[in-house]
Amino acid sequence: MNNKHLKFWLVLLTGYWFTLPAFAYTKVTPSSDRIVSIGSAVTDLVVTLGGTSQLVAVDSTSNVPPSAHVKMLGYQRQLSAEGILSVKPSVVVGSDEMGPPEVLQLLQQAKIPLITLSSAPTLSALQDNIRKIATLLGTPKRADLLIKEIDNKVSTLTQRQKTQKHIDSTIFLLILGSGSPQVAGKGTVANRMIELAGGENTAAQTVNGYKPISQESLLEMKPQTLLVPQRILNNLGGTSGLIKHYPILAATPAGENGQIYGVDQHALIGGFSLITLNEAQRLASIISPPNSSKKVM
């Protein structure tokens, strides 16, 4: 993994639970004419709710349609005031993970409205974020339809779980270069994603947030399904390359049975998001495929 990608994930973990200080909120009335969107989860909502044409800049974690002509800014925690101000934004919207604080303070002093959304790993936080962006864009009906669609997807996943014949022991590993992997525990977006997909995050029983995991602890968890960032799999040349770098993974039930899968890293940034829900739907067919004969371990 190159330094750019390593830095991306290290920054993601650093200050994972931090939220923005009070100065990030402003009384200046925001306009949706020229939107700077920070964070993949936030930008996805702006696009979905009809704000693509109003976007003028996004951070490096964001994906936008080819038709969007936007300036690419830095990583969401390493923003530059000069870069943002150069596009003359009418509003900056992002999750409470955006920063650094001194840049947000400069934007506040420049009277740029800041809208801060929750990065909590909950469905209610996602619904609140949808309504806030819809209010900015003036598209409340789109918000109603989107929330209804989300409720239907969650309901389908919940009903699926009631008919499961087994529950896979599943963990998500955040791998940083050659160092010890970090395991996602309770209170993380990865944990909520696994739960929705019908798996049981074994790490959530003893771990809060992201914590380094030893080889011994990894083997004791006996994961039947192991999830890692798709970017890591790509960089290492797939599952075989991953196991070559981390041979201990081959000794887990997931490694022995070829149950190691990549997850879109954007699903884990900025709280519970549309991308998280989409990944949960995809993983549901992997963790608990219909008519599966796998046994609980």
Side-chain angles (χ1 to χ4, degrees):
M1 182 166 61
N2 61 37
N3 290 336
K4 178 181 178 182
H5 293 158
L6 174 58
K7 187 176 184 181
F8 175 92
W9 286 105
L10 284 171
V11 174
L12 172 62
L13 284 176
T14 303
Y16 183 82
W17 298 107
F18 291 176
T19 56
L20 295 181
F23 65 71
Y25 299 89
T26 177
K27 294 182 180 180
V28 179
T29 302
S31 164
S32 64
D33 292 342
R34 298 180 63 80
I35 300 172
V36 169
S37 180
I38 306 299
S40 59
V42 175
T43 302
D44 195 40
L45 287 181
V46 172
V47 170
T48 302
L49 292 170
T52 302
S53 63
Q54 288 120 290
L55 286 171
V56 293
V58 298
D59 79 310
S60 61
T61 71
S62 297
N63 289 322
V64 294
S67 59
H69 301 289
V70 298
K71 179 174 181 176
M72 300 302 295
L73 304 173
Y75 180 65
Q76 63 171 355
R77 289 190 187 275
Q78 298 175 314
L79 299 171
S80 161
E82 291 79 9
I84 294 174
L85 291 173
S86 70
V87 298
K88 300 179 180 179
S90 61
V91 63
V92 174
V93 57
S95 80
D96 52 27
E97 294 178 351
M98 67 177 170
E102 55 267 26
V103 168
L104 301 179
Q105 191 169 26
L106 287 172
L107 295 177
Q108 178 82 358
Q109 292 171 355
K111 300 189 182 304
I112 302 297
L114 302 176
I115 297 178
T116 306
L117 306 182
S118 173
S119 62
T122 64
L123 179 61
S124 60
L126 172 58
Q127 293 170 336
D128 288 343
N129 291 343
I130 289 171
R131 294 203 182 281
K132 287 179 180 178
I133 292 181
T135 297
L136 172 67
L137 297 175
T139 57
K141 291 184 178 179
R142 287 201 182 199
D144 292 338
L145 291 173
L146 181 57
I147 289 175
K148 183 177 181 179
E149 179 184 341
I150 290 170
D151 288 342
N152 289 337
K153 288 181 178 180
V154 172
S155 177
T156 298
L157 287 170
T158 302
Q159 290 299 318
R160 180 193 179 100
Q161 292 173 19
K162 293 179 180 180
T163 62
Q164 283 182 223
K165 295 181 180 180
H166 75 279
I167 300 177
D168 262 12
S169 168
T170 306
I171 63 173
F172 174 82
L173 290 182
L174 184 57
I175 297 174
L176 304 172
S178 58
S180 298
Q182 306 266 348
V183 67
K186 185 178 180 180
T188 63
V189 176
N191 178 62
R192 187 66 184 119
M193 179 180 67
I194 290 170
E195 291 176 340
L196 275 175
E200 179 183 9
N201 182 12
T202 315
Q205 300 173 11
T206 56
V207 177
N208 287 314
Y210 281 91
K211 296 291 171 57
I213 183 172
S214 66
Q215 294 187 4
E216 293 77 11
S217 296
L218 179 60
L219 293 177
E220 288 175 1
M221 289 183 181
K222 298 180 180 180
Q224 294 170 279
T225 302
L226 199 156
L227 308 175
V228 298
Q230 184 62 53
R231 181 181 301 205
I232 300 299
L233 279 183
N234 294 343
N235 289 343
L236 296 179
T239 303
S240 60
L242 178 68
I243 292 178
K244 181 178 179 181
H245 279 74
Y246 298 92
I248 191 65
L249 299 181
T252 65
E256 292 173 351
N257 298 315
Q259 292 288 105
I260 300 177
Y261 302 99
V263 171
D264 182 354
Q265 57 271 10
H266 297 96
L268 308 175
I269 301 173
F272 189 85
S273 66
L274 299 179
I275 312 171
T276 310
L277 183 55
N278 290 339
E279 280 294 88
Q281 286 184 296
R282 182 181 68 85
L283 292 172
S285 62
I286 294 173
I287 293 175
S288 181
N291 304 319
S292 172
S293 59
K294 290 191 295 184
K295 298 179 180 180
V296 178
M297 296 185 66

